[in-house]
Amino acid sequence: MIIAATLAILVVMVLAIIRGVMGPSLYDRILAMNMFGTKTVLLISLLGFVMGRPEFLDIAMVYALINFISVIGVLRLFEAFTAKHNGKVVEPAQRDL
């Protein structure tokens, strides 16, 4: 049962990476990377349970905090970028450097 759960988490992580690469908008990409981080926390917790190492839960919680803060930071950066360009959403390939 634990092997099935681990494989399911890995499949969802692969799907999240695919959505992150092929996402139609920046928000879809950010959401996919947030989902990948959440599934990584689940995978670390599951591995800690299987290996009998409860300190993996501490590592998973730190990773969850880093994931949350980085998503907020990217969203704030994107908000500042769109405000600079008069509210128009500019895809990364179209922006001027």
Side-chain angles (χ1 to χ4, degrees):
M1 186 68 182
I2 294 177
I3 294 173
T6 305
L7 289 176
I9 291 172
L10 289 174
V11 167
V12 171
M13 289 172 78
V14 169
L15 292 174
I17 289 175
I18 292 170
R19 173 51 68 192
V21 171
M22 297 177 49
S25 71
L26 183 68
Y27 292 117
D28 291 325
R29 292 182 178 110
I30 291 171
L31 183 65
M33 290 302 113
N34 189 19
M35 185 173 68
F36 182 82
T38 303
K39 299 309 172 200
T40 304
V41 170
L42 285 173
L43 188 63
I44 292 170
S45 301
L46 188 64
L47 288 175
F49 175 74
V50 168
M51 294 170 42
R53 308 272 313 251
E55 57 270 3
F56 275 27
L57 291 176
D58 296 334
I59 296 169
M61 292 301 290
V62 169
Y63 188 82
L65 182 63
I66 291 171
N67 183 39
F68 175 72
I69 291 173
S70 65
V71 167
I72 296 298
V74 168
L75 286 173
R76 292 267 175 116
L77 180 68
F78 182 67
E79 179 184 30
F81 184 75
T82 55
K84 181 180 175 184
H85 291 289
N86 299 326
K88 289 191 264 183
V89 177
V90 180
E91 288 296 319
Q94 298 173 348
R95 65 179 147 168
D96 52 353
L97 298 176

